[in-house]
Amino acid sequence: MVIIIRSKRFFTVAFILVAIVCLFLILPNLNRYESLVYKSMPVSSELTEVYTPIIENIIRTRNKAMLEDDTEAIKFMYDTGKRFGIWAFEHEQMKIKYLHNWAEKQGVKFTDIDSVFKVRWVKEQANKATVNFSEITEYVYEYENMQGVQNKLRIATYHVLDIISESDNHIITKEWYTDPFADSLNPQSLKAEGNKSFILSQEERDFSGLNERRIKAVEYADLYCAAGPDEKYFFQYNKNYKNFNPLGGDCANFASQVLFEGGKFRKTSVWNYYKNDGSRAWVNAQSFKNYLINSGRGSVIAQGTYDKVLKLSYKLLPGDIVAYEKKGKVVHVSVVTGADSRGYSLVNCHNTDRYRVPWDLGWSDKGIKFWLIRVHY
C-alpha cells in the first residue's frame, strides 16, 4: 500500500483514519510531531507498508534537525564509515547550514518544518533496501519584526534511498534526489546587513488590481506546480504535456504552459508545443528567456547579481518571470505567484517543484545572476 502522511499543522482540515494504520517509529524528543495523522491508499507492493514508518522516522528526524539548526542530530542515521554514506550526511549538514544562513540574511526565523510523503516502491535484498519516495516539505517562517505573521512555502522532492538494517536500526548508505538548495551549498556567508534592513522595512503588497490573464496564469501555476494548495494534485503535472525532467528539466515547459494555458498567449512558429513535444523556445530556459524579450511579450526589469536586483525585485508582479543565469547561461526559470508578508516576491516552478517560495531561496551562489522579466499580458 502507498501511505500518504499528513500533519494537522500542514492542513487545517482534520482527516479521518481509513484502511490500515501503520505503527509509528517515534524518537524520544519528537513530541511536537505527534499530531501527524495517517491516511492509506492502495499501492503495488506490500513492502511499502513495512518501510513507510521507517521513512517517516527519517523525515521527522531530518525536519527537526533542520528546524533547530542541529547538524549533529542526524549523524546516527548515516553510514559515515562509507563514502556514499558520509556524502549523504554531509549534504544534509550543508542544507541545514544554508537554510539558517539564508534566514539570517532575510531577517526571518523558521518556526515549523513539516512533510507529506508517499512511498512509491521498495526493492529489498538481504539486509539492504532501496526505497523510492516523494516528499512535499512545508516551511513556515516569520519576519523578526513581524512575529506571529506566518509565511508558508512548499517544495517537492523525489528520493531514492538505500538503507541497511542493523539490529533495530536502519542506516542510510546512499541517497539521491534533486536538491532545491543544490546551487547554494558552497561554504560562504550571505551576510549583507544593508539588504536585511531593506527587506525588513518593506510592507505587504496589494495585488487586487491584477488583470484577468495574470490571475489565470497564477491559478494554473498553483494547480500544476505539484506542491500547491489542492492535495489532489500533489506530485502531479498536467498530463496533457510531456514531462521533460528526464531530458534535462521541465522548468521552461511549465512556464510556457502557464503563459499559454493560464495567460492565454497564442502559440507562434517559434514558441510552440505540438504532438507531445515543444520547440526550443518552449522547453529550453535560455531560449525561453530570449524569446520573451525578443518577441516583445516580456521586457527586462533588472538583470544582475542579487545585490543589484534586490530592490527592483519588489516591482515583480504575479505572472512575471524570474530567470537564473549560471556561467553565462540561463539554467532555470520560475513564475512569480505572489509575495509574502514583507512584500518579498514568491515563485512556483518545476524541476525541484516549488510553491510560493522566495525567489532567491536555493539560488544564493555568488556566481548566479538573475533576470527579472515583466510579462506583458
Side-chain angles (χ1 to χ4, degrees), residues 36-318:
L36 288 175
V37 217
Y38 288 66
K39 180 178 178 181
S40 61
M41 297 174 62
V43 297
S44 57
S45 171
E46 292 182 1
L47 282 175
T48 60
E49 182 178 345
V50 174
Y51 280 90
T52 288
I54 296 171
I55 298 302
E56 160 67 0
N57 192 43
I58 290 170
I59 290 173
R60 285 183 176 188
T61 306
R62 294 203 294 207
N63 284 350
K64 184 175 185 290
M66 180 165 280
L67 184 65
E68 297 179 357
D69 193 13
D70 186 356
T71 58
E72 290 298 311
I74 58 174
K75 190 173 183 178
F76 75 96
M77 297 193 302
Y78 294 86
D79 183 359
T80 54
K82 301 287 179 60
R83 179 176 56 178
F84 291 117
I86 191 66
W87 285 356
F89 167 61
E90 289 176 346
H91 186 86
E92 295 304 313
Q93 277 193 315
M94 288 188 289
K95 279 182 62 177
I96 292 171
K97 292 177 181 178
Y98 168 69
L99 188 70
H100 288 272
N101 197 359
W102 181 88
E104 174 62 24
K105 180 274 298 185
Q106 197 75 4
V108 305
K109 178 182 179 181
F110 284 95
T111 60
D112 197 12
I113 301 176
D114 206 359
S115 295
V116 169
F117 75 90
K118 180 194 297 186
V119 175
R120 296 189 176 275
W121 54 258
V122 179
K123 294 179 180 179
E124 192 176 51
Q125 184 177 12
N127 69 332
K128 175 186 173 182
T130 299
V131 185
N132 181 301
F133 68 95
S134 305
E135 178 182 2
I136 293 175
T137 303
E138 179 176 85
Y139 302 78
V140 182
Y141 68 91
E142 57 186 39
Y143 282 94
E144 294 174 2
N145 59 357
M146 194 179 280
Q147 295 182 14
V149 179
Q150 292 187 339
N151 301 276
K152 299 180 180 181
L153 64 98
R154 293 190 202 138
I155 300 175
T157 49
Y158 305 86
H159 303 246
V160 177
L161 182 78
D162 285 355
I163 54 179
I164 58 174
S165 300
E166 294 182 351
S167 301
D168 294 329
N169 296 322
H170 301 279
I171 308 298
I172 299 169
T173 60
K174 185 190 300 184
E175 184 172 17
W176 179 92
Y177 63 101
T178 304
D179 183 4
F181 304 147
D183 287 289
S184 302
L185 300 186
N186 292 329
Q188 60 180 333
S189 172
L190 298 177
K191 292 179 180 177
E193 198 59 38
N195 287 343
K196 179 177 176 179
S197 299
F198 177 77
I199 293 169
L200 290 174
S201 70
Q202 301 305 299
E203 300 294 334
E204 189 172 5
R205 290 194 280 162
D206 180 9
F207 296 128
S208 60
L210 295 177
N211 67 42
E212 186 67 15
R213 290 174 67 192
R214 282 188 180 274
I215 293 171
K216 293 297 183 182
V218 171
E219 288 177 354
Y220 184 94
D222 283 347
L223 189 63
Y224 287 110
C225 70
D230 191 337
E231 63 177 289
K232 292 186 297 183
Y233 291 87
F234 282 176
F235 311 114
Q236 304 219 15
Y237 291 0
N238 187 337
K239 295 179 181 178
N240 293 326
Y241 291 89
K242 184 176 181 177
N243 179 353
F244 288 89
N245 280 325
L247 301 176
D250 199 63
C251 62
N253 180 37
F254 177 64
S256 291
Q257 292 172 42
V258 170
L259 298 189
F260 173 69
E261 296 280 2
K264 301 305 177 184
F265 282 96
R266 293 182 180 179
K267 296 174 182 175
T268 70
S269 59
V270 176
W271 181 70
N272 193 21
Y273 187 93
Y274 181 66
K275 290 186 177 181
N276 206 34
D277 202 3
S279 66
R280 187 166 179 81
W282 186 283
V283 302
N284 176 269
Q286 174 77 21
S287 299
F288 174 79
K289 182 270 294 182
N290 291 342
Y291 169 74
L292 273 183
I293 296 169
N294 295 335
S295 67
R297 289 181 164 181
S299 57
V300 179
I301 298 172
Q303 186 270 332
T305 61
Y306 177 78
D307 289 341
K308 183 177 179 180
V309 306
L310 171 61
K311 292 183 179 179
L312 287 173
S313 72
Y314 289 84
K315 293 185 177 293
L316 287 166
L317 297 174

Side-chain angles (χ1 to χ4, degrees), residues 321-334:
I321 297 293
V322 179
Y324 305 82
E325 178 186 317
K326 193 175 182 181
K327 296 181 180 180
K329 182 180 179 181
V330 171
V331 296
H332 183 65
V333 293
S334 59

